[in-house]
Amino acid sequence: SREAVAVPTGGELQPEVVQTFKTSELQGIVKLFRQEPGEGVLRWLVRAWDNAGNTVMLLRYELQQLGVLSQDSQVRAQMSNPQEPDGNEESPSLYCWLAAAVGAAYPSVGELEAQAGPWKTIAKGVQVLRQLGMAWAVETGGKNGPDDTLVTKSIKATLLRLAPDELKPSLLVVVMAGDGWVGDLAATLMQLETALAGAWPRAVQAAKGQQSKGQAGGGQEKGELRVPRKVLCLDLLQAGVCREEINGKPTADLYKRWMQLPAAKRSTRSEGEKGVERSKPVEPSAPPSEWQLPRPY
């Protein structure tokens, strides 16, 4: 609902339209923006941004009725007596209110970064990257979203620390070179995921015809890729594994150790092909045109 309020302008009263919400409308806001059980504050704020929380304008007394939005007791306490977000807006956006409440509850950016957890896939890594971007967006006043935050050294270090070991060699150059916006680095990571995924079909093709052959010393487990023993040995040797740790070991054990190598160190040619070709890391270029970061609607 909208309510007309008289505002003095040059000695005359001029009507100004101010947004107010009915109880039912506030309940709708709670349903859309409520923090889920177990959902960290950074992930919650990113979701509030993606759901266009920066377009929902609220007066202070309206926000005080929305304390149930947060599962975090510290944030909920701040929302009961909210601090005015930076700026002169009469009714700041819900996103600005929430960012201010989280910033007051967690005044150290380190406390917020600690909310991000380990990740296993690049897609999940992008989510963690945007959460770290949100931590710095809150630290700098909560005016921008996570994608429009500059990549800091702390963001890089935390993202790499939380990454799985097998992806760190491929991520290192890409992440350390990311000196622009979080949104740009997120797009580059998605491009990297596409490049790394391209090596998998070649590995499957290389394994065709091997599934029916028994491996000396025992084969890989059912349902896993079949890779010739000599390829496993060669890759492990070139990766720095001592020959004494390879000779006489069951093929199944060698295979498990081979799978722990970075993708760039695992051969992708079949046994019958000449030489051993490695899937070289591909330096990401422009992000795929079909993928876009979430934007407020």
Side-chain angles (χ1 to χ4, degrees):
S1 63
R2 292 184 178 275
E3 173 183 303
V5 179
V7 178
T9 303
E12 299 180 358
L13 291 179
Q14 299 293 335
E16 180 183 89
V17 176
V18 177
Q19 174 109 29
T20 59
F21 289 99
K22 299 177 182 177
T23 301
S24 60
E25 292 172 327
L26 291 175
Q27 291 173 347
I29 292 174
V30 170
K31 184 177 180 180
L32 181 60
F33 293 99
R34 178 191 287 125
Q35 183 181 10
E36 300 296 334
E39 184 178 35
V41 293
L42 292 180
R43 184 176 179 182
W44 173 48
L45 281 181
V46 171
R47 184 163 59 83
W49 172 265
D50 291 343
N51 286 341
N54 63 320
T55 65
V56 180
M57 316 310 290
L58 291 171
L59 297 172
R60 189 174 188 276
Y61 83 91
E62 292 173 323
L63 180 76
Q64 290 176 305
Q65 301 177 56
L66 300 178
V68 292
L69 279 177
S70 179
Q71 297 282 339
D72 188 297
S73 59
Q74 294 174 253
V75 176
R76 200 161 52 241
Q78 293 295 330
M79 292 177 65
S80 66
N81 186 27
Q83 300 179 12
E84 289 285 347
D86 294 337
N88 298 319
E89 298 92 341
E90 181 180 356
S91 53
S93 70
L94 173 62
Y95 167 72
C96 286
W97 280 117
L98 296 182
V102 170
Y106 298 92
S108 166
V109 70
E111 291 181 86
L112 287 175
E113 287 186 319
Q115 300 278 330
W119 51 276
K120 295 297 183 183
T121 66
I122 290 183
K124 293 292 184 181
V126 169
Q127 295 179 17
V128 171
L129 171 62
R130 298 186 72 222
Q131 290 173 29
L132 295 174
M134 180 60 76
W136 283 89
V138 170
E139 174 72 7
T140 55
K143 288 299 181 181
N144 298 320
D147 309 313
D148 297 323
T149 301
L150 284 173
V151 179
T152 66
K153 292 181 179 179
S154 179
I155 288 177
K156 295 177 184 180
T158 305
L159 183 67
L160 288 172
R161 177 175 56 81
L162 298 174
D165 290 340
E166 61 271 19
L167 286 178
K168 285 181 180 178
S170 299
L171 288 167
L172 186 61
V173 174
V174 173
V175 173
M176 296 310 293
D179 293 328
W181 305 103
V182 165
D184 295 334
L185 179 55
T188 302
L189 289 180
M190 293 302 291
Q191 179 73 6
L192 175 63
E193 181 182 48
T194 301
L196 293 178
W200 183 249
R202 294 196 297 272
V204 173
Q205 184 179 11
K208 284 184 178 180
Q210 300 297 328
Q211 294 184 2
S212 60
K213 297 181 180 179
Q215 300 293 329
Q220 289 98 36
E221 295 180 6
K222 184 178 180 181
E224 293 183 343
L225 289 176
R226 297 284 179 171
V227 180
R229 181 182 177 88
K230 71 177 185 180
V231 174
L232 299 176
C233 294
L234 180 60
D235 283 357
L236 290 172
L237 286 171
Q238 292 185 355
V241 179
C242 297
R243 189 176 296 275
E244 291 75 16
E245 298 179 32
I246 297 176
N247 292 341
K249 297 294 184 181
T251 303
D253 293 344
L254 296 180
Y255 176 76
K256 291 178 181 178
R257 191 159 185 178
W258 181 81
M259 286 297 294
Q260 295 174 359
L261 296 176
K265 294 187 177 182
R266 298 200 296 264
S267 299
T268 58
R269 282 184 181 263
S270 62
E271 185 175 7
E273 295 181 32
K274 296 181 180 179
V276 177
E277 179 186 54
R278 299 191 177 279
S279 55
K280 299 179 179 178
V282 180
E283 184 176 354
S285 55
S289 58
E290 67 273 12
W291 183 86
Q292 295 181 349
L293 287 169
R295 292 294 182 185
Y297 50 82

